[in-house]
Amino acid sequence: MSSDVPDNAGTDPEPPPAHVAVIMDGNGRWARKRMINRVKGHEKGAETVRMLVRTCREIGIRYLTLYAFSTENWQRPKSEVKALMALRKRFLAAERSEMIENNIRLNVIGEIDRLPDDVRESLRRVMDDTDTNNGMQLNLALSYGGRSEIVSACRAVARRVAAGEVAVDAITPELFETFLQTADMPDPELLIRTSGEYRISNFLLWQIAYSELFVTPTLWPDFTREEFLDILSEYRRRERRFGRIND
Ligand code: IPE
Ligand code: IPE
Ligand code: MG
């Protein structure tokens, strides 16, 4: 562990959050500020992803969910969508061995069938190669939308009801969430959004019901390990009440 990690990181009596979710926003503005192509911003953003995955693994976060491409992002110009997909594929190829080495399991949430064949194949390969890893799970949200996820879960439940396998009155929040793509994962305790936008943009709508929200003005390519550790420290200071009263 390098010297800039606080002494208590990982050994703090308060464990780190089990699940951190991040809306990685601001790549385009980072590039615009430098008067370079937006794709350069996405490329730089991939370096921040690498840093964050390493940091989370190091301090013992069990699940990291990264919003990498939304269902709405398909509406961007074809050239940008193409560049983003190529970049995701390059990222997977470059990170495969590190994920294997560091015991990281790759998982994807989102409409995986809508992804180009080559990206889907790369994902499958890395998911297969890391399937038994249990140090940390990296969830890439690709062609992901919270509404689409919830509707898919509704369809799955409805099919079970129609088949006579589930009674209508047996549908509870606990049962329902087993049909989401995040079944078996804890809800994120912490949701970070970079680039100063105060919105959720269709990310994990069900799962963030009680997440602590952090919005930083920092653009994603500029987001550092130090800022992430600061956010974790602030998270520890927050009082989570879940609707109750703390004496
Ligand atoms: C986030 O950066 C990356 C994706 C949405 C894929 P943006 O591309 O949204 O950057 P801004 O918001 O235009 O600055
Ligand atoms: C959210 O960012 C999606 C990702 C980070 C992948 P956007 O830039 O697409 O969101 P809006 O358009 O600002 O809501
Ligand atoms: Mg954006």
Side-chain angles (χ1 to χ4, degrees), residues 23-32 38 42 67-70 73 76 80 84 88 193 195 197 199 219-220:
I23 302 175
M24 312 183 289
D25 196 18
N27 295 347
R29 277 162 284 172
W30 184 91
R32 197 172 60 209
R38 291 176 59 85
H42 296 312
Y67 206 5
F69 193 89
S70 72
N73 288 151
R76 292 192 179 194
E80 182 166 343
L84 277 166
R88 299 296 173 252
R193 181 168 190 148
S195 92
E197 236 67 79
R199 55 178 172 261
L219 303 175
W220 179 249

Side-chain angles (χ1 to χ4, degrees), residues 19 53 62-68 91-92 99 103-112 115 119-120 122-133 136-144 149 180-186 203-204 207:
H19 188 169
V53 171
R62 310 273 312 151
Y63 296 89
L64 172 65
T65 301
L66 301 177
Y67 206 5
F91 175 83
L92 290 164
M99 286 193 245
N103 198 16
I104 295 170
R105 179 173 193 254
L106 179 76
N107 180 53
V108 181
I109 59 171
E111 306 167 332
I112 187 166
L115 299 173
V119 175
R120 198 169 47 242
S122 301
L123 285 165
R124 285 213 191 288
R125 202 169 314 129
V126 183
M127 285 194 289
D128 285 348
D129 291 346
T130 61
D131 190 41
T132 56
N133 289 357
M136 178 176 97
Q137 179 160 310
L138 170 63
N139 296 313
L140 282 186
L142 276 172
S143 188
Y144 175 87
E149 183 192 26
L180 294 172
Q181 289 185 293
T182 51
D184 303 325
M185 302 177 205
F203 192 38
L204 299 178
Q207 297 87 341

Side-chain angles (χ1 to χ4, degrees), residues 18 35 37 56 66 72 77 85 87 95 104 111 124 130 141 147 156 160 180 194 205 219 242:
M35 303 208 292
N37 193 285
C56 286
L66 301 177
E72 288 72 25
M85 290 300 155
L87 202 60
E95 297 309 301
I104 295 170
E111 306 167 332
R124 285 213 191 288
T130 61
R147 288 182 171 177
R160 299 285 287 274
L180 294 172
T194 57
L205 297 179
L219 303 175
F242 302 99

Side-chain angles (χ1 to χ4, degrees), residues 7 23 31 45 54 86 108 119 121 136 155 159 211 225 246:
D7 288 344
I23 302 175
R54 281 187 188 156
V108 181
V119 175
E121 274 317 301
M136 178 176 97
R155 289 204 191 108
R159 274 194 288 272
S211 302
R225 168 192 179 88
N246 280 353

